[in-house]
Amino acid sequence: PEAVAHYGAALAEAGNADAGDARSARELALALKLGPMLANLRGPQHPEVAVVYARAHDLAAALGDHAARFKATWGQWYNVLVGRRLDLARERADALIELAAKTGGIDLALESIHCRWSTAMFRGEFPMARDLADDGAARYDRAKHAWMGPVFGGHDPGVCAFCVAAVAHLMAGSRSRADERSQRSVALGEALRHPLTLGHAIMNRLTFLQQIGDSHGAADLARRLLELADRYTLPPFRAHALMVGSWARVIGGDVDGGIHPLEDEYPRAAAVGPMFRYYAMLLVDARLRAGRAAEALALARDSLGTVSEPGVGMFVPELHRLAAAAAAAAGDADGCVQALRAAHDIACQQGSTLHALRAAIALAQAPSPAARDDGRARLRTLLAARHATFDVDERASAERIVACAAA
């Protein structure tokens, strides 16, 4: 707080000097120092952070300082990403790519696509996220780029490239490729010996394990992340560990022992950042397994109500699929089928074969003959487009359903 007050006062005082490039350069330097401090104190999404970085951006643009403008735009991007304004996050990530090209800096070029692959993932633009993250992993050189983590976002870009590539390949139906990249992210995080970077890697590895249904692996890794979070006082990682670890207990059969900490932690986990729908999805799933379908449906609908662009958002298809299960439990067959069709259509829009398969499988098992026919037709389309690394478990289930229908 004292440093923020000091730099805030210095910035105000600099604004009283005679107008000119010297004053603007002084204000710009102070604003770029104040921005990260404010973000750490009040949170990256805070309106005051947006004001400071907007001022820095205008000053850098007026001075023609592309490197400083990149830093200011990065601060604006992070502000809206954590603030869940994914439309603006996309615009600012695109602006960073243009600015990096103007500076000619190889490091800034890597950071610019780092921002774009992260934005693409959170928006549910998985083919773009996959291609950019794989490109970033290929560009990354540990000796040259390890400095970037503490400066930009708190985690290493190479680790993040492997993390996002893992998520995106899994969404495409490539479990083995996803697993390989996920393991490489943790190995690199361990080698770098940077707690925030290692926490980022483990957090994303946990999400991978949760998505493939490995509750035992998720429970073990959640304990490791919780230990790291407590050792270094990292609340976001602690929340993620508690959410996924508690979900794993529910899946493992300890419903009462898992759902209570899930309920307790959810408000904290979902309060800040773009992962809030993922945490809602975990709790919806747990409530369903606890026989609380009405509460599960209410939370799924509340979370889906936050979608501001049609079909945009990570795990939106899964929320629709779980809402369908809750509707079915409540006896709303039509609502169930409608939600499953929405889940499948949005998953296809996002390039998420995994989530499209799950929705189509559920549709093919619906009570209505028409819904089952529709589900089987969707499965045939998905299977016809399969690729050489299409190896998620859902593929075998889909093939069995289609084969039984043909027989």
Side-chain angles (χ1 to χ4, degrees):
E2 291 181 7
V4 167
H6 171 75
Y7 276 105
L11 184 58
E13 183 179 346
N16 294 325
D18 293 337
D21 286 353
R23 187 185 91 173
S24 295
R26 173 68 174 161
E27 285 186 82
L28 175 59
L30 289 167
L32 289 176
K33 290 180 179 178
L34 178 59
M37 293 180 183
L38 265 178
N40 287 332
L41 180 65
R42 309 200 193 286
Q45 79 286 356
H46 198 278
E48 288 184 35
V49 176
V51 169
V52 169
Y53 278 121
R55 177 63 178 150
H57 177 274
D58 292 345
L59 289 165
L63 290 168
D65 188 335
H66 296 310
R69 190 176 174 188
F70 184 95
K71 293 177 183 177
T73 304
W74 189 96
Q76 292 181 305
W77 167 79
Y78 198 45
N79 172 259
V80 294
L81 181 76
V82 178
R84 304 170 182 171
R85 292 294 309 277
L86 297 181
D87 52 343
L88 291 178
R90 178 183 58 187
E91 292 177 11
R92 288 172 182 171
D94 288 341
L96 285 169
I97 291 174
E98 293 179 9
L99 283 168
K102 289 179 179 178
T103 67
I106 296 175
D107 292 353
L108 294 187
L110 175 60
E111 181 56 29
S112 69
I113 63 169
H114 177 188
C115 296
R116 192 62 184 93
W117 76 56
S118 298
T119 303
M121 181 185 72
F122 288 123
R123 287 180 59 84
E125 298 167 344
F126 294 114
M128 176 183 288
R130 180 191 64 225
D131 293 346
L132 289 174
D134 279 343
D135 180 26
R139 296 188 191 200
Y140 176 79
D141 183 316
R142 177 179 167 184
K144 294 179 181 177
H145 300 129
W147 67 270
M148 295 172 66
V151 174
F152 292 110
H155 62 256
D156 181 77
V159 165
C160 189
F162 288 127
C163 288
V164 171
V167 170
H169 278 285
L170 182 62
M171 294 303 109
S174 299
R175 173 174 171 165
S176 56
R177 284 189 176 181
D179 193 18
E180 180 266 339
R181 285 158 175 79
S182 180
Q183 292 190 55
R184 289 181 70 181
S185 75
V186 175
L188 180 56
E190 290 170 338
L192 291 170
R193 305 178 69 84
H194 180 240
L196 282 171
T197 288
L198 180 56
H200 185 75
I202 296 175
M203 181 182 81
N204 282 275
R205 174 72 178 169
L206 257 182
T207 304
F208 166 78
L209 293 173
Q210 184 276 322
Q211 277 292 286
I212 65 171
D214 183 356
S215 60
H216 295 295
D220 290 342
L221 195 60
R223 286 190 284 272
R224 182 182 177 190
L225 182 59
L226 186 61
E227 179 184 338
L228 181 76
D230 287 344
R231 185 187 310 151
Y232 294 101
T233 316
L234 302 171
F237 294 147
R238 189 175 204 279
H240 192 85
L242 288 172
M243 290 296 294
V244 181
S246 299
W247 171 89
R249 289 180 68 180
V250 172
I251 301 304
D254 185 7
V255 176
D256 289 339
I259 197 164
H260 293 304
L262 258 176
E263 296 278 5
D264 289 344
E265 190 61 32
Y266 175 69
R268 287 184 290 272
V272 176
M275 290 286 284
F276 66 111
R277 292 193 194 100
Y278 176 70
Y279 299 131
M281 181 197 71
L282 296 179
L283 185 51
V284 170
D285 191 14
R287 285 179 178 178
L288 276 170
R289 294 171 188 272
R292 294 160 51 187
E295 293 174 76
L297 183 57
L299 178 57
R301 286 176 172 170
D302 284 347
S303 188
L304 288 169
T306 66
V307 176
S308 58
E309 298 177 74
V312 171
M314 195 177 183
F315 297 109
V316 168
E318 283 291 84
L319 280 166
H320 278 289
R321 184 180 64 83
L322 291 169
D332 183 3
D334 289 342
C336 170
V337 170
Q338 183 179 3
L340 287 173
R341 286 172 174 156
H344 177 270
D345 292 345
I346 294 169
C348 289
Q349 172 189 322
Q350 295 186 351
S352 177
T353 302
L354 174 65
H355 292 160
L357 276 172
R358 290 178 180 173
I361 288 169
L363 192 59
Q365 296 170 335
S368 162
R372 290 199 299 272
D373 287 344
D374 185 17
R376 289 192 287 262
R378 292 170 187 252
L379 286 175
R380 282 191 287 270
T381 299
L382 289 168
L383 291 171
R386 61 186 178 272
H387 46 78
T389 59
F390 185 30
D391 58 0
V392 288
D393 291 346
E394 287 79 359
R395 173 183 174 175
S397 298
E399 289 174 339
R400 283 194 298 271
I401 290 170
V402 170
C404 287

